[in-house]
Amino acid sequence: MHSLNIIGAGNLGRTLGRLWHERQVFRVGGICNRSLASAREAVAFIGAGSAATEIGAMAPADFWLIAVPDDHIEVAAQALAAHLQRLPQHAGANTPSPTSTPTPTPVVFHCSGAMASSVLTDCLPARIASAHPVHSFADPARSLHDLPGSYVALEGDASARSLLEEAFANLECSCITLTPEQKVLYHAGSVMACNYLTVLLDLSLRTFSAAGIDENTARQLLGPIVVKTAQNNIALGPQKALTGPLVRGDIRTVARQLDALSQLTESAPPITPPTLADAYRLLGKAALPLAQKAGLNADTAQKLHTLFDEQTRE
Ligand SMILES: NC(=O)c1ccc[n+]([C@@H]2O[C@H](COP(=O)([O-])OP(=O)(O)OC[C@H]3O[C@@H](n4cnc5c(N)ncnc54)[C@H](OP(=O)(O)O)[C@@H]3O)[C@@H](O)[C@H]2O)c1
């Protein structure tokens, strides 16, 4: 079994570490976080490994996962590169145990969606790659159950990709391959669908709250329709999934909603822009081309566009 060290065992690192340990995909070795308390928590969650706070103190491993926040990956990779230079394994002197598969040089990978593996260049001649699980690791305990079935976008060294594909297949995850050039826009697409959906739900809950509906009730109301809408979008595509006043051309309904949101903004300061009304306008404008493809006539679309362009009432 290959060994795995983790630098940065937060939400993602803990989840992957625990799943790979439980499914005996990797033998988890060192777990390095900034604070010892956090590293020990990660060891307890994973159920294996030894806590560290210095990359330079970590034992050799076949795989190194750098799962620190994106802005810290390069610095962590530089520290790891200096450490790898001092380890015999890096010079090709790896002597695997009889039960392990020999790896000529270690695999070093990160899980950022936006960055390519080139941020790990200092670690060469290690085999560098990036592996971005298209999953929201909001709560590691939930992710243990929810991650299987997700996709992972791989990029980088071919042999590292192949080994990582096998490791993720053991978590029931399917992989796709991306070029380094694709990563930023690929990730922006994921952010819009996943993170911005969360922002949209927050805006929705704030609007429900303004109507005097408490958050628990609102979340219960939204649960089935949000899940169903997501399923419709995946199954049918956005054009067929779009319903509601815009696609029906119900201009007066849209005007009344916009008016109510604008008044709300005025009557409940301090609300910093973008306000609920701003968000409603912007997304309404973004919806119009989709609504037109779904059958909204050009004249009504133009009237709605004009409505969304009007300034918030003084
Ligand atoms: N969260 C997601 O949904 C998600 C999804 C896909 C990909 N990713 C990617 O996964 C990576 C990690 O994200 P995350 O959400 O798991 O982050 P996170 O929960 O904030 O965890 C980051 C961990 O890195 C540790 N850390 C920070 N700087 C460090 C350093 N210089 N040396 C050692 N450890 C350090 C922190 O240690 P302390 O606890 O001691 O501060 C923390 O445990 C990122 O590249 C992100 O883009 C995340």
Side-chain angles (χ1 to χ4, degrees):
M1 196 192 308
H2 287 127
S3 56
L4 169 75
N5 281 353
I6 303 175
I7 299 168
N11 286 336
L12 175 140
R14 279 170 206 215
T15 306
L16 292 181
R18 164 101 167 246
L19 287 171
W20 277 329
H21 165 64
E22 280 182 351
R23 298 186 185 209
Q24 301 195 333
V25 179
F26 287 119
R27 180 167 42 79
V28 176
I31 311 259
C32 177
N33 278 1
R34 278 180 302 199
S35 81
L36 193 56
S38 167
R40 282 180 175 151
E41 264 176 36
V43 168
F45 183 84
I46 292 168
S50 51
T53 54
E54 291 296 328
I55 293 172
M58 297 174 86
D62 303 311
F63 285 70
W64 293 79
L65 163 58
I66 300 184
V68 300
D70 287 8
D71 288 352
H72 298 265
I73 292 176
E74 190 166 11
V75 172
Q78 286 163 357
L80 176 58
H83 182 47
L84 288 176
Q85 290 301 329
R86 295 190 291 268
L87 293 175
Q89 183 190 41
H90 205 56
N94 188 24
T95 49
S97 72
T99 53
S100 71
T101 309
T103 51
T105 54
V107 170
V108 177
F109 69 108
H110 68 69
C111 290
S112 163
M115 301 171 94
S117 56
S118 53
V119 71
L120 306 173
T121 299
D122 282 345
C123 294
L124 293 171
R127 291 172 290 169
I128 57 174
S130 65
H132 177 245
V134 190
H135 173 82
S136 180
F137 292 84
D139 173 3
R142 290 177 76 94
S143 288
L144 293 177
H145 302 285
D146 296 346
L147 179 68
S150 304
Y151 278 78
V152 178
L154 298 174
E155 171 277 331
D157 177 272
S159 68
R161 278 194 276 118
S162 160
L163 289 164
L164 288 168
E165 183 163 3
E166 199 183 321
F168 279 106
N170 278 299
L171 307 187
E172 296 151 59
C173 292
S174 310
C175 291
I176 61 159
T177 301
L178 297 177
T179 64
E181 296 74 25
Q182 285 178 298
K183 285 214 69 175
V184 174
L185 285 178
Y186 148 82
H187 190 239
S190 313
V191 166
M192 281 197 242
C194 176
N195 305 148
Y196 287 7
L197 177 60
T198 302
V199 178
L200 208 50
L201 286 174
D202 181 53
L203 295 176
S204 168
L205 290 174
R206 281 164 50 191
T207 310
F208 273 98
S209 166
I213 300 166
D214 70 84
E215 183 166 334
N216 275 345
T217 307
R219 278 159 67 167
Q220 278 173 16
L221 288 175
L222 286 175
I225 194 171
V226 170
V227 170
K228 192 52 78 182
T229 303
Q231 287 171 341
N232 284 346
N233 272 279
I234 300 306
L236 309 172
Q239 187 180 317
K240 285 196 176 150
L242 186 66
T243 59
L246 277 185
V247 76
R248 285 193 301 267
D250 284 339
I251 298 178
R252 274 185 291 181
T253 298
V254 174
R256 286 178 60 231
Q257 291 182 354
L258 192 49
D259 200 33
L261 288 169
S262 303
Q263 288 185 37
L264 179 73
T265 305
E266 289 161 18
S267 64
I271 298 177
T272 49
T275 63
L276 293 173
D278 293 335
Y280 188 97
R281 277 197 183 85
L282 189 64
L283 290 167
K285 274 203 263 187
L288 288 177
L290 205 54
Q292 278 190 268
K293 278 194 217 157
L296 180 70
N297 69 58
D299 183 45
T300 311
Q302 184 53 50
K303 285 182 181 143
L304 284 164
H305 199 280
T306 307
L307 183 66
F308 290 134
D309 266 346
E310 283 171 6
Q311 292 302 306
T312 309
R313 294 180 332 157
E314 293 299 319

